[in-house]
Amino acid sequence: MEEAQFNKLIDNDEVNIEEIRKVIFLNKKFLFACISSSIIISFLITILIPNRYESTLLMVADEELSLESSMSQYSGLAGFAGMTLPAEASQASIGVEILQSRILFEKFSNKYNILVPLFASKSWNEDTGELKINDKIYDTASKKWTRKISPPFEAMPSGYEAYKLWIEEIFSFSYDDRTGFVKVTIKHHSPYIAQEWASLLIVELNNFMRKDAVDEAELAIEYLENEVNQTQSEELKLLFYKLIQSKTERIMLAYSRDEYIFRLIDPPYVSQEPFSPNRILFLIAGLFFGLTAGVIFLLYIRPPKTKPVSS
């Protein structure tokens, strides 16, 4: 039957469901072959796709170090002295923004030299535990980048490319601003690299925030000490001394612990099972695709009869 005639039957008439079942039953071997072929192809595709693993950690912000709480206790004294202390954001919210920032990633990337496993890894050998590098991107023998790419990009990935790949494919997080809990996930071909990067990233985040807090506190102390020497107001001197004490305590607290702002609740792990590709999902999709394609093909070459229209 011609295509135009088949389309007319489908569009304009009521299809005989029993006839459809009969067509499918008479051609069940063909339909089974379509489904089997589609499932096999889907399975082969999953074999060609390299495994990817993820490592997840859970941490919580230590609100004891919140700038807001440390400064608010002096608001009454500041008001008595005729001053208003600025409102400051919590360290937790600042830390979350730094966690996903370009500046932290660049420091992390440069310190641990992650560009090669970030860009050039293609799979992980479970037997040897070695990471397989794509020689079309990076030559391990000469230690040179070999990828072919159009200007303005160069063979060696730029910071822009690295950060984009990191945010889109490697790093993800969720933050509950009510509880302060932060969940960080790192994905990679190697479960060991995923676990290592997750651990090191949080170390670098705490170190970054520690250095930033200490630098800010030292600068504030220098300024406050200068103000103490210049003012004649006893109220202001008292306020400045209290603020200097607060900043000094912050420096001491920053150096007294390794986990400065974020404390690990559940450390990252080495995953034993890949999260991608989802082979079961691929096989189910292959089954439905084969079934749908087979049925459509059968109805196209042997369209069902239509019910007679009563006059």
Side-chain angles (χ1 to χ4, degrees):
M1 181 176 291
E2 296 181 356
E3 181 179 359
Q5 185 178 359
F6 171 56
N7 291 336
K8 183 178 179 180
L9 288 174
I10 295 299
D11 294 338
N12 300 327
D13 297 316
E14 186 179 359
V15 176
N16 190 326
I17 302 300
E18 186 63 30
E19 186 65 20
I20 293 178
R21 293 173 57 188
K22 182 178 180 181
V23 169
I24 293 175
F25 180 78
L26 292 176
N27 296 274
K28 57 181 178 293
K29 291 183 178 180
F30 171 79
L31 191 59
F32 178 77
C34 289
I35 295 174
S36 300
S37 299
S38 181
I39 291 177
I40 292 173
I41 293 173
S42 298
F43 178 73
L44 293 176
I45 291 175
T46 62
I47 294 179
L48 296 176
I49 299 176
N51 290 335
R52 283 173 60 84
Y53 300 82
E54 65 180 13
S55 185
T56 302
L57 64 86
L58 180 66
M59 59 185 183
V60 65
D62 190 345
E63 288 302 328
E64 179 186 349
L65 299 175
S66 172
L67 284 174
E68 184 178 359
S69 61
S70 66
M71 296 296 289
S72 60
Q73 59 183 310
Y74 303 117
S75 59
L77 184 59
F80 180 73
M83 297 178 60
T84 302
L85 294 179
E88 301 186 53
S90 71
Q91 289 286 275
S93 59
I94 295 174
V96 168
E97 294 302 319
I98 294 175
L99 178 63
Q100 57 184 321
S101 68
R102 186 190 305 272
I103 186 171
L104 180 66
F105 169 74
E106 289 180 350
K107 288 180 178 293
F108 176 75
S109 176
N110 294 334
K111 183 174 181 178
Y112 298 104
N113 194 23
I114 72 169
L115 277 187
V116 173
L118 178 64
F119 267 89
S121 64
K122 63 178 181 180
S123 62
W124 175 66
N125 191 320
E126 296 183 11
D127 297 326
T128 64
E130 295 180 353
L131 187 65
K132 296 181 180 179
I133 301 299
N134 188 344
D135 55 9
K136 293 183 179 180
I137 299 178
Y138 183 82
D139 184 6
T140 54
S142 62
K143 296 183 178 180
K144 292 183 178 180
W145 292 92
T146 57
R147 67 172 186 157
K148 306 297 182 182
I149 193 166
S150 302
F153 301 106
E154 300 178 351
M156 181 177 179
S158 63
Y160 167 80
E161 292 178 276
Y163 178 70
K164 183 179 180 181
L165 180 62
W166 174 264
I167 291 296
E168 292 180 352
E169 299 186 18
I170 305 298
F171 165 84
S172 61
F173 80 100
S174 61
Y175 171 54
D176 188 337
D177 56 0
R178 295 181 297 104
T179 62
F181 284 105
V182 183
K183 183 178 181 181
V184 177
T185 301
I186 300 294
K187 306 178 183 69
H188 198 266
H189 292 133
S190 167
Y192 293 97
I193 289 181
Q195 187 269 344
E196 180 184 28
W197 285 0
S199 299
L200 294 175
L201 182 64
I202 303 311
V203 171
E204 291 306 307
L205 173 62
N206 276 319
N207 288 340
F208 182 94
M209 298 194 68
R210 176 186 292 109
K211 183 179 184 304
D212 185 68
V214 170
D215 290 346
E216 182 272 337
E218 290 178 344
L219 187 62
I221 290 174
E222 181 180 352
Y223 168 78
L224 291 170
E225 288 177 342
N226 183 60
E227 290 298 311
V228 167
N229 295 329
Q230 293 185 10
T231 185
Q232 300 298 321
S233 170
E234 293 300 323
E235 291 82 4
L236 283 177
K237 283 185 178 182
L238 179 59
L239 173 61
F240 292 150
Y241 282 132
K242 290 291 186 181
L243 292 175
I244 289 174
Q245 179 184 357
S246 173
K247 297 299 182 181
T248 303
E249 290 174 351
R250 178 162 295 280
I251 294 176
M252 294 173 60
L253 193 58
Y255 286 120
S256 67
R257 60 177 71 184
D258 292 331
E259 296 179 331
Y260 174 56
I261 295 296
F262 292 101
R263 178 167 55 90
L264 276 177
I265 302 298
D266 189 14
Y269 54 87
V270 177
S271 177
Q272 295 181 328
E273 296 182 353
F275 80 94
S276 174
N278 190 326
R279 291 181 169 83
I280 295 179
L281 185 61
F282 264 89
L283 295 179
I284 293 176
L287 185 151
F288 278 99
F289 178 81
L291 176 63
T292 303
V295 170
I296 291 176
F297 183 77
L298 286 176
L299 296 182
Y300 178 78
I301 62 173
R302 296 189 60 180
K305 297 178 182 179
T306 58
K307 291 183 178 180
V309 180
S310 57
S311 55

